[in-house]
Amino acid sequence: MAHQIDNAPAKADGPQHNESKADLRRSTIVRTLMENGTAQIKDLAISLGVSLMTIHRDLNDLQDQGLVRRIRGAVTAEKSMLHESSYVFRARQFVDEKRRLARAAVAHIDPGNAVIWDDSSTTYHACDFIESVTPVTVITNAIPVIERLRDVADIELIALGGKYHRVYNGFFGLACEKAIQSYHVDVALMSTTTIQGLSLYTQDEQVLRVKQSMIRIARKKILLVDESKFHFSALNHVADLSVFDVVIVPQTVDERIIQYLQQNGINLELV
């Protein structure tokens, strides 16, 4: 998977912007190490366009989380911890932005709806707002959503089984896909690894198949995309953006991207 970070739009300076840039760098480092296992520290600095001092600060943070280990000018993924920590790491990124997206998504859900809900760390934040539209039925393969909503009154919770995947902290595989196909729902609440052009992509085939299954059974399809998703590429095409009734994105996304999507008929909601 190639990482396309050089074309990130420039924004005004400020503490929030600096934090977002650091989060984006650290996410890129984690992705690189998940793919390659190891990298030279100086190569990371060059590819990310930052100083060695900045890279060392990023690596200190990742090392404190138990995700990486430095060895003689290189950095390697802590394999035993990386898979266990991957979802937790993603869940800590861009939290305020993801909450805005989730609040806007829940506004498209009506009481009485059946909602299928993917395993993304973005859609998870809809847990904070879903009680405003209860009663609802929630169908999900995401362990964090199941744990969060299991005791919430007026939510009928249906857990999709299948093969447990530690990286995504959810269920996937043939059993999960078959279970999805047995339902028809009002709303699909989804996110994605990346947006490239007019399509969404992911790096994992089993994630692709679950997302495509969710798309097929939903009357209304809602996609939540934080700003960082426009700076990466991934191998597997999931769907065209045109299949979604609404694509919710933050106002911080580059105006050129916004205009391009709108000119091609994508129904965007800016939050």
Side-chain angles (χ1 to χ4, degrees):
M1 175 171 37
H3 304 297
Q4 300 180 345
I5 61 175
D6 294 337
N7 296 325
K11 305 182 187 75
D13 291 334
Q16 184 175 359
H17 174 49
N18 291 336
E19 182 181 359
S20 295
K21 288 198 297 184
D23 287 340
L24 181 56
R25 283 196 313 273
R26 292 164 190 173
S27 295
T28 303
I29 292 169
V30 168
R31 289 170 184 264
T32 300
L33 295 178
M34 286 181 72
E35 292 173 3
N36 303 317
T38 188
Q40 294 294 314
I41 294 174
K42 64 179 181 180
D43 291 340
L44 289 173
I46 292 170
S47 66
L48 291 164
V50 296
S51 68
L52 282 171
M53 183 179 296
T54 296
I55 285 294
H56 281 296
R57 283 199 298 266
D58 292 337
L59 295 178
N60 285 340
D61 179 78
L62 295 175
Q63 189 166 276
D64 288 344
Q65 296 180 56
L67 293 170
V68 305
R69 177 166 52 94
R70 279 180 281 193
I71 46 171
R72 297 182 180 179
V75 60
T76 183
E78 289 284 15
K79 294 293 186 182
S80 62
M81 290 296 294
L82 184 57
H83 294 298
E84 297 290 347
S85 303
S86 178
Y87 181 88
V88 175
F89 177 82
R90 288 184 290 117
R92 291 178 54 188
Q93 310 305 303
F94 312 103
V95 171
D96 290 343
E97 190 170 279
K98 290 175 180 178
R99 281 177 55 81
R100 292 200 306 273
L101 298 173
R103 183 192 294 272
V106 169
H108 292 273
I109 300 171
D110 295 322
N113 279 174
V115 183
I116 195 156
W117 194 324
D118 75 5
D119 64 292
S120 73
S121 62
T122 303
T123 56
Y124 168 78
H125 291 283
C127 292
D128 292 336
F129 311 105
I130 192 67
E131 288 183 79
S132 66
V133 294
T134 54
V136 294
T137 298
V138 173
I139 305 169
T140 185
N141 66 325
I143 293 291
V145 174
I146 294 168
E147 292 177 342
R148 178 73 180 276
L149 298 183
R150 64 185 180 182
D151 296 321
V152 177
D154 295 325
I155 290 183
E156 183 176 359
L157 184 61
I158 299 174
L160 294 166
K163 184 176 181 180
Y164 178 68
H165 197 303
R166 289 185 176 84
V167 170
Y168 305 115
N169 202 9
F171 295 105
F172 296 87
L174 185 60
C176 182
E177 294 161 35
K178 286 185 175 180
I180 294 170
Q181 293 165 15
S182 68
Y183 297 105
H184 179 74
V185 301
D186 300 289
V187 179
L189 205 59
M190 303 177 63
S191 187
T192 183
T193 302
T194 182
I195 299 292
Q196 292 293 305
L198 298 173
S199 300
L200 52 149
Y201 292 80
T202 189
Q203 70 270 30
D204 195 312
E205 289 186 11
Q206 62 185 329
V207 174
L208 176 152
R209 292 193 297 269
V210 165
K211 288 184 184 294
Q212 289 179 337
S213 297
M214 290 181 174
I215 289 170
R216 283 194 290 269
I217 69 164
R219 176 178 57 83
K220 180 191 293 184
K221 293 163 277 287
I222 302 171
L223 185 68
L224 288 66
V225 188
D226 69 71
E227 197 269 344
S228 71
K229 302 300 173 59
F230 293 94
H231 302 296
F232 299 102
S233 63
L235 180 63
N236 298 299
H237 176 269
V238 179
D240 294 337
L241 288 174
S242 58
V243 307
F244 291 92
D245 296 273
V246 60
V247 178
I248 307 175
V249 300
Q251 295 178 354
T252 52
V253 172
D254 190 331
E255 290 184 6
R256 293 168 297 179
I257 295 174
I258 297 295
Q259 291 174 3
Y260 174 73
L261 296 177
Q262 290 175 331
Q263 288 167 1
N264 282 276
I266 307 304
N267 182 27
L268 294 184
E269 182 175 335
L270 304 180
V271 298

